[in-house]
Amino acid sequence: MSLPQRHRLRGKRPFDRLYRQGRRLHGEVMVLRLLQAQTELLPPSDRNRSPSPWRCAVVVSGKVSKRSVRRNRLRRLLHAHLLRQAPKGTSPLWLLLSLKPEAAATAEPRLLEECTYLLRKAGLLHEPGSPP
């Protein structure tokens, strides 16, 4: 499952800004970058879309797997997980999940667990059993 249009982060300028100024949270097999949304950096076609509390992109490079089928499967897996988790924030955020090469040899449940851990560490998810 892919992300709906309103949650997709697209364009060169948002990615450049995330890589340069985004807050980084490192896990064993992925890195989460986050930044307050800056709509003026989005492509003109995306500025007019319905506002979303978060936009996200998942980067799976050729270093993770040479096979595009495997990279796309990992990307779809994380997209579906993000939709289920629905990061919560008070102001619009941009998120960028980058997989490290070790991700290819990691079991899918472990990848999802680490994604949840990073979102929780960023303060975008509440701890289980704690009030929202």
Side-chain angles (χ1 to χ4, degrees), residues 18-104:
L18 269 161
Y19 279 113
R20 279 189 286 116
Q21 297 176 354
R23 180 176 153 213
R24 288 179 206 91
L25 300 168
H26 294 270
E28 291 178 26
V29 294
M30 66 181 74
V31 177
L32 173 66
R33 289 178 173 85
L34 58 140
L35 184 69
Q36 295 297 318
Q38 300 168 3
T39 54
E40 67 276 4
L41 296 178
L42 290 172
S45 61
D46 285 355
R47 289 181 201 157
N48 301 327
R49 291 201 193 284
S50 62
S52 171
W54 58 278
R55 286 180 182 258
C56 182
V58 178
V59 176
V60 186
S61 76
K63 290 181 181 180
V64 174
S65 174
K66 299 297 181 204
R67 300 182 54 98
S68 61
V69 172
R70 177 71 175 141
R71 292 193 309 268
N72 291 335
R73 181 182 175 136
L74 290 169
R75 191 175 296 115
R76 284 192 308 270
L77 176 76
L78 290 168
H79 282 176
H81 185 67
L82 285 166
L83 285 174
R84 283 191 305 272
Q85 294 293 322
K88 293 162 182 51
T90 55
S91 58
L93 287 174
W94 287 347
L95 307 171
L96 179 65
L97 270 174
S98 303
L99 295 185
K100 295 178 182 179
E102 303 85 46

